[in-house]
Amino acid sequence: VMSSLWTYSRPSDTLDTVLGRPDCMYEAAKTAWQLRDNTDILYKMLDKAPKIALLYSQSSRIYSPREYSQSLYSAYQYAVSTGAKAGFVTDEDISKLERYQVLILPNTSYITSEALNGIRSFIQNGGTAIRLGECFKGDEHKQNLDSDAVSYIVQNSIQSNDLIAELNNAVSSKVQLTDTNGNPVAGLDMQYSVKAGRVYVNICNITNTPIDFNLSYNGEAITSAVSELENSEITSYIAEPTVPMLLSFDSNEDIVSFEILSFKDGTAEIKSNCTNYCNATVAVVLKDKSGNIKGIAANTKRYRPGEIKKITTGFSDKSDEDMLYVKVWKSLKDRTELDTVHSY
């Protein structure tokens, strides 16, 4: 409908904008079609729990704009290339750090006292903090920060000169993207998931120049992969700027996969698609409208191949705004999500 009402203009267009409109419609329709065909795969990537946080400090941005902005952007390029989900926390919402495992402090010269205390609590609770450049010169008013808090963070965090190596140590990934010399590549936003014994890797080059890369899984080079978006096999990997790639290949591992046949009113029907017997925890998670967990009802058992299990639960304090989610984890302690297909 909007295509018939709007005229899309771009400064670089040399043709009449109406004549250029079919190209826009084609690309939009193609993208929608590709998203539809790969919904399960992409949902698994989007639904991953975040691991890496970057601190967005307004004070540092004001008082040291060049150093801070350049460090933040560089750190982001490295963070998204690990395969772990990355996000941002600000001085004002520092409490959200509890969702993450790793915090990057990119030349955070100035920071609020509240954020400083939040970082200390994050480290005390087992989080990993990585400092880049000079940090903690002062607060938002350029006044001295709490010296005890600064000392604790400095002594219990990592001062890094090789961020991507530190990140790979902190958040291990089976999928690795390297350059021709075997070094990790920055600038490639990468996520991956495994479905029924096949690995799917989503890659997008967020720089302005093409990047050649090598692909490996569990330390073994992947010499050929299928491009799911182009439906063709490729043997050399080149990521063009802003052009998405969705590659797939066999994992050559035992299949550990579950299918959620139905999920309604807190009752989930689960089928094991595992190659062999496997242990898993099926959990129904209750979250409020802000995404905070209010309750977990879990069942851990050993599933045989093809076994179907129905799990029913209820929460007495569930409100109309709360949401229920079903998750399949390695265990209640290790909440790594196993390969899951939603077929209902």
Side-chain angles (χ1 to χ4, degrees), residues 120-133:
R120 178 167 59 178
S121 296
F122 171 74
I123 295 173
Q124 289 172 338
N125 291 325
T128 298
I130 302 174
R131 293 176 288 117
L132 306 177

Side-chain angles (χ1 to χ4, degrees), residues 228-253:
E228 295 290 336
L229 301 184
E230 303 301 331
N231 194 27
S232 61
E233 184 176 1
I234 58 176
T235 55
S236 60
Y237 309 111
I238 303 175
E240 298 291 340
T242 70
V243 177
M245 304 175 70
L246 181 60
L247 308 179
S248 72
F249 52 87
D250 288 330
S251 69
N252 296 320
E253 298 174 315

